[in-house]
């Protein structure tokens, strides 16, 4: 490990995930649902952007000027390559927070996002981040922050300590991190086979270890093997951000806003008795044994009157990103699976089924008497966004401006699908964010962009890409060995893609 890392894992690069919570447009309805005015977003910043997939998608697909920093030079180099390919103008650097946050040439930001960073850095770095937010977030601006929390992670603390100590003390110095992680996990597994009293007192930790054993080692390295790993109770985070003049503005996970998905009736009633909103949030974390929080905070929250709230919400636009026929009328939260009211969701989904962006007001009018109240429609849209069947949409002007950079970025990302880099999203100029697109789907799109017109051609193109790398298609847990079998399966998948996905990818400006 080299010394610029502040104890952060640097010898295994992070994975190429995309996180739509970092899309500022997605914050708007959640903030409105909490009663707050959402800001327009002209300038945004992501701290600790990893491989930079999210920041590049957002920079290419929105009209905002994005900045970002990640001190791992391998991450920053890849992220910058994407920024150049897209032409988005994103300013992405490989500076440590302490250097980046004190730069003199930064603008003030409407949105600052940090995903998977807060719990994994030192107290000193958290202070640097807070100071940056205090100075650089505009009044009315929004912070998106995710972090490991308590009480859900209580038993993980000693397990993580054990794994880290094993990796540090029981293995040959100089050994690479991935095999050290494997050995530490195997040790913990053998320890748990001895039925230690810790396991009996915390039975759920056995399942956590089982899940860890199946995880990508790059994810585990960054999640658990840093010097710093500190789950923080909500109240402590709210207090720290409060000192930077921020107020809690609600969860960034839209399904968290819907009580019936999260709490029993009794739990809901118990919480409603608590007058203090922040304390209520702490108690709610006990109710659901919260492990990981995704929160929005605002600097100077402006609580809207009921009338203003309705007027702003009615101008927001939405597009259906799921296939109408495939959308299940159920949603799942900590309280289990809940059926969604057919009489509300069916008409809303029908109105949106042509995948054209529509305003809240247009949906409301089209549904007529079927959706009786503003609150019912608001909740339905929140749930559909939380289920990832629906996304907020930008204005036509912004969509038109974002198209070229989104197209350039997507070409670069689809090219990397040939070598299976593991990037599972493409940029939508319509939603200002990423849409999940699997590797094979990206290869079909690439074939299409190169002029191949039939699913049979797309399947053959994908099969050529796989044979280059000596790869085979896997169906279930079976590897298809013969060339004909592979080609037939890829052609079948390309056919399904043409029928079920192409219209949505075209409507979202990706195809
Ligand atoms: C767990 S990863 C999350 C990456 C990305 N936000 C995501 O969710 O995919 C944390 C990232 O923060 C970066 N990081 C950690 N400490 C940092 C520091 N002091 N300055 C800049 N970047 C840092 C790491 O290099 C890493 O890429």
């Amino acid at each position: 490990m080299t010394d610029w890392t502040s104890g952060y894992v640097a010898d295994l690069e992070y994975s190429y995930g995309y996180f739509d919570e970092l899309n500022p447009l997605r914050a708007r309805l959640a903030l409105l649902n909490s009663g707050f005015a959402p800001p327009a977003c002209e300038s945004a910043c992501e701290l600790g952007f990893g491989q930079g997939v999210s920041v590049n998608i957002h920079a290419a697909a929105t009209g905002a000027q994005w900045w970002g920093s990640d001190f791992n030079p391998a991450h920053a180099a890849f992220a910058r390559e994407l920024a150049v390919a897209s032409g988005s103008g994103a300013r992405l650097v490989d500076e440590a927070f302490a250097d980046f946050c004190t730069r003199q040439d930064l603008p003030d930001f409407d949105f600052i996002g940090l995903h998977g960073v807060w719990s994994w850095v030192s107290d000193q770095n958290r202070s640097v981040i807070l100071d940056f937010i205090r100075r650089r977030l505009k009044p009315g601006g929004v912070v998106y922050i995710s972090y490991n929390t308590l009480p859900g992670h209580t038993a993980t603390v000693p397990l993580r300590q054990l794994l880290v100590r094993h990796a540090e003390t029981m293995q040959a110095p100089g050994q690479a991190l991935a095999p050290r992680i494997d050995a530490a996990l195997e040790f913990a597994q053998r320890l748990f086979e001895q039925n230690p009293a810790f396991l009996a007192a915390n039975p759920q930790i056995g399942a956590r270890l089982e899940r860890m054993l199946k995880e990508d080692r790059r994810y585990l390295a960054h999640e658990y093997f840093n010097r710093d790993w500190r789950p923080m109770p909500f109240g402590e985070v709210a207090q720290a951000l409060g000192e930077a003049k921020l107020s809690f503005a609600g969860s960034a996970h839209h399904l968290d806003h819907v009580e019936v998905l999260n709490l029993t009736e009794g739990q809901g009633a118990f919480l409603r008795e608590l007058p203090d909103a922040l304390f209520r949030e702490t108690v709610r974390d006990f109710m659901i044994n919260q492990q990981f929080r995704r929160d929005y905070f605002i600097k100077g929250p402006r609580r809207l009157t009921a009338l203003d709230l309705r007027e702003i919400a009615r101008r927001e636009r939405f597009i259906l990103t799921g296939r109408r026929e495939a959308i299940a009328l159920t949603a799942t939260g900590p309280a289990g699976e809940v059926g969604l009211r057919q009489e509300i969701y069916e008409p809303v989904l029908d109105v949106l089924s042509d995948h054209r962006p529509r305003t809240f007001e247009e949906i409301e009018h089209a549904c007529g008497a079927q959706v009786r109240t503003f609150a019912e429609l608001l909740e339905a849209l929140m749930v559909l966004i939380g289920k990832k069947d629906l996304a907020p949409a930008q204005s036509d002007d912004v969509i038109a401006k974002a198209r070229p950079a989104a197209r350039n970025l997507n070409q670069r990302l689809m090219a990397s699908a040939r070598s299976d880099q593991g990037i599972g999203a493409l940029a939508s100029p319509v939603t200002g964010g990423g849409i999940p697109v699997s590797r094979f789907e990206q290869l079909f799109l690439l074939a299409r962009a190169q002029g191949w017109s039939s699913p049979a051609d797309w399947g053959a193109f994908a099969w050529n890409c796989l044979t280059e790398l000596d790869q085979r298609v896997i169906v279930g847990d079976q590897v298809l060995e013969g060339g004909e079998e592979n080609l037939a399966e890829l052609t079948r998948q390309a056919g399904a893609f043409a029928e079920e996905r192409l219209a949505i990818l075209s409507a979202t400006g990706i195809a």
Side-chain angles (χ1 to χ4, degrees), residues 76 80 231 324 398:
R80 285 164 77 113
R324 168 68 183 93
V398 177

Side-chain angles (χ1 to χ4, degrees), residues 8 14 19 46 48-50 70-71 75 95-97 115-116 121 125:
Y8 192 88
Y14 199 58
F19 300 98
E46 186 181 338
F49 53 61
D70 192 297
F71 69 178
H75 293 174
E95 291 168 354
F97 298 142
H115 183 74
V121 296
N125 270 309

Side-chain angles (χ1 to χ4, degrees), residues 4-6 8-9 14-19 22 46-51 54 69-72 75 95-98 114-117 120-121 125 222-223 226:
W4 52 268
T5 63
S6 309
Y8 192 88
V9 163
Y14 199 58
S15 42
Y16 295 83
Y18 168 73
F19 300 98
L22 289 157
E46 186 181 338
L47 296 174
F49 53 61
Q51 298 286 2
S54 302
S69 172
D70 192 297
F71 69 178
N72 185 321
H75 293 174
E95 291 168 354
F97 298 142
L114 47 157
H115 183 74
V117 172
W120 296 266
V121 296
N125 270 309
H222 286 259
E223 173 67 41
N226 290 307

